[in-house]
Amino acid sequence: MAKIDIISGFLGAGKTTLIKKLLKEALAGEQVVLIENEFGEIGIDGGFLKEAGIQITEMNSGCICCSLVGDFGTALKEVVDQYHPDRILIEPSGVGKLSDVIKAVQNVADEAGLEMNSFTAVVDAKKCRVFIKNFGEFFVNQIEYAKTIILSRTQNVSQEKLEECVALIREHNDKAALITTPWDELDGKQILDAMEQKHSLEDELLAAASVCPECGHVHDHGEHCDHDHHDHDHDHCGHDHDHDHDHCDHDHDHNHDHDHHHHDDHCGCGHDHHHDHEGHHHADEVFTSWGTETAHRYTKDEMEGILKELSESDRFGTVLRAKGMVYGEGNTWIYFDLVPGEYELRDGAPQYTGQLCVIGSKIDEAALKELFHV
């Protein structure tokens, strides 16, 4: 039975970096298939991960909920039939709700003979507070439904900032395993064990002390409680759920410090996307993306200047993520990655053409075209 691991995370949190680490250090002997759902017109992540030799099924759609609810079931069945994997990694869109992904996968998991193995949220420790404030409905949902929460970039924050981030996360999920150690100090197998809830300190202590997990009493070996022991199927966020609904009964932070971009509530798929029955927003109402292919050649200095301006200026809208692969000088290719306040450039493998993608809110496409000379 193939395992399914869902690795969620807000835009730029580091999902792709985590997946690469797991593939190299923990999953090398397994037949692994990655299914992506990237919000935007162009699937940039496919280019980054093809280097790892992983089969990728990309599902790009401006209508995020349709791709989740519709395409995932079909894709999962095709993956199992065609590749017979040991493990399926699902990397949802950075602005997707983890609850929606879990629901979509659960709908077909039994039929396709799949095991729901782990639900993980990757959280950028540097941007935890600002994302909760501005995009709470989407960001908090990923935290609430995760069994494991992996903090990224903890090596770049102060102890005070790290503890503040942990406290904010624990307000929404006090049950999940929480990884705070910098990734460079951990082996991929350690991270996978945490994702799969293996070797937890609590389990070790309970086993060592023979503590009954229900009543908390310490028993001698072979001694039993008088109460009935049941296998409780606890929901992953630690709350009791009505399984006819896919949301926790939590109070969500709806304080969005931005305007909605889409005024047309129909995407052409026949669904009404204004709000769901609980008044929650869909990603395509709040976030917008701009993507294009380009044959333009860029020097490294030119790309450095473009990313610096994109990072520091507000004239392009609220830019949350930018990434791409472009033709450089000679036969070189420049790969870039940007999140608020920081960016990186690196050399990469040739692509069939240059690709750019920018995601955020109130994006100014005309200004972006001018910036990238396309």
Side-chain angles (χ1 to χ4, degrees):
M1 179 180 288
K3 296 179 179 179
I4 292 182
D5 298 290
I6 301 173
I7 301 176
S8 70
F10 203 65
L11 295 159
K15 298 190 297 296
T16 301
T17 302
L18 175 64
I19 288 171
K20 283 184 174 181
K21 184 176 180 69
L22 292 174
L23 291 172
K24 181 180 179 181
E25 300 175 7
L27 303 174
E30 296 187 19
Q31 173 74 12
V32 180
V33 171
L34 172 67
I35 296 181
E36 292 188 305
N37 178 251
E38 188 60 62
F39 180 77
E41 297 171 28
I42 292 181
I44 296 294
D45 280 333
F48 281 105
L49 284 162
K50 278 170 189 166
E51 300 169 357
I54 303 301
Q55 175 64 38
I56 293 174
T57 302
E58 288 186 294
M59 293 165 290
N60 294 299
S61 170
C63 173
I64 201 106
C65 60
C66 292
S67 60
L68 287 175
V69 177
D71 294 349
F72 255 72
T74 302
L76 281 174
K77 292 172 187 174
E78 288 179 356
V79 159
V80 173
D81 292 341
Q82 188 171 352
Y83 300 105
H84 308 290
D86 300 311
R87 188 183 299 264
I88 299 170
L89 301 181
I90 296 178
E91 182 187 357
S93 160
V95 294
K97 293 182 179 178
L98 181 53
S99 59
D100 288 344
V101 185
I102 293 171
K103 181 181 178 182
V105 175
Q106 281 177 329
N107 287 340
V108 296
D110 291 341
E111 183 181 344
L114 304 170
E115 175 191 349
M116 301 289 283
N117 187 49
S118 67
F119 314 135
T120 299
V122 183
V123 175
D124 187 336
K126 295 176 66 176
K127 301 179 175 65
C128 189
R129 173 176 285 280
V130 68
F131 282 171
I132 285 179
K133 178 184 177 185
N134 292 326
F135 306 104
E137 184 180 332
F138 301 90
F139 188 71
V140 170
N141 181 277
Q142 295 179 5
I143 292 173
E144 287 175 341
Y145 282 84
K147 286 183 177 179
T148 304
I149 298 169
I150 303 177
L151 297 186
S152 62
R153 303 182 177 92
T154 56
Q155 71 275 16
N156 298 328
V157 299
S158 65
Q159 185 65 34
E160 182 181 4
K161 185 90 171 177
L162 178 60
E163 291 176 1
E164 178 190 49
C165 177
V166 169
L168 287 169
I169 287 171
R170 287 308 189 198
E171 287 179 11
H172 301 284
N173 187 334
D174 62 356
K175 304 292 185 184
L178 184 59
I179 296 180
T180 59
T181 303
W183 297 359
D184 289 345
E185 299 176 23
L186 294 173
D187 183 86
K189 291 179 182 178
Q190 293 175 280
I191 296 176
L192 184 63
D193 280 350
M195 290 169 57
E196 295 183 330
Q197 307 291 302
K198 292 179 181 176
H199 312 308
S200 75
L201 184 59
E202 182 181 8
D203 290 341
E204 291 178 15
L205 292 175
L206 286 173
S210 298
V211 178
C212 172
E214 286 192 28
C215 66
H217 295 160
V218 179
H219 301 288
D220 293 330
H221 290 289
E223 182 183 345
H224 297 282
C225 296
D226 291 331
H227 53 75
D228 294 329
H229 285 262
H230 302 285
D231 289 330
H232 293 285
D233 184 15
H234 292 297
D235 286 299
H236 35 263
C237 68
H239 297 264
D240 292 329
H241 290 270
D242 178 350
H243 291 284
D244 290 331
H245 300 281
D246 60 328
H247 294 282
C248 284
D249 192 20
H250 304 290
D251 292 329
H252 291 279
D253 181 4
H254 294 284
N255 182 23
H256 299 298
D257 289 348
H258 47 74
D259 298 326
H260 290 176
H261 180 84
H262 292 272
H263 300 289
D264 182 1
D265 298 327
H266 299 280
C267 67
C269 64
H271 296 169
D272 183 348
H273 291 275
H274 186 59
H275 296 100
D276 63 21
H277 68 281
E278 295 184 11
H280 294 182
H281 301 92
H282 292 291
D284 54 358
E285 290 182 288
V286 178
F287 304 98
T288 56
S289 70
W290 170 80
T292 188
E293 295 182 346
T294 177
H296 186 85
R297 286 178 178 267
Y298 300 82
T299 66
K300 281 214 169 170
D301 286 345
E302 184 180 16
M303 282 306 304
E304 182 85 30
I306 288 173
L307 295 180
K308 188 173 189 296
E309 186 172 358
L310 193 61
S311 177
E312 296 178 357
S313 174
D314 59 3
R315 73 182 183 93
F316 307 103
T318 303
V319 176
L320 297 169
R321 191 81 161 92
K323 62 198 303 185
M325 303 90 74
V326 296
Y327 219 155
E329 296 176 289
N331 293 322
T332 65
W333 279 78
I334 302 170
Y335 284 41
F336 70 86
D337 219 313
L338 177 146
V339 294
E342 59 185 284
Y343 57 85
E344 67 172 1
L345 292 165
R346 65 183 180 91
D347 295 330
Q351 297 294 315
Y352 68 88
T353 191
Q355 299 178 70
L356 307 167
C357 188
V358 178
I359 303 172
S361 64
K362 297 196 291 186
I363 294 296
D364 188 331
E365 294 187 8
L368 288 171
K369 289 178 180 178
E370 180 183 349
L371 178 68
F372 283 99
H373 312 296
V374 295

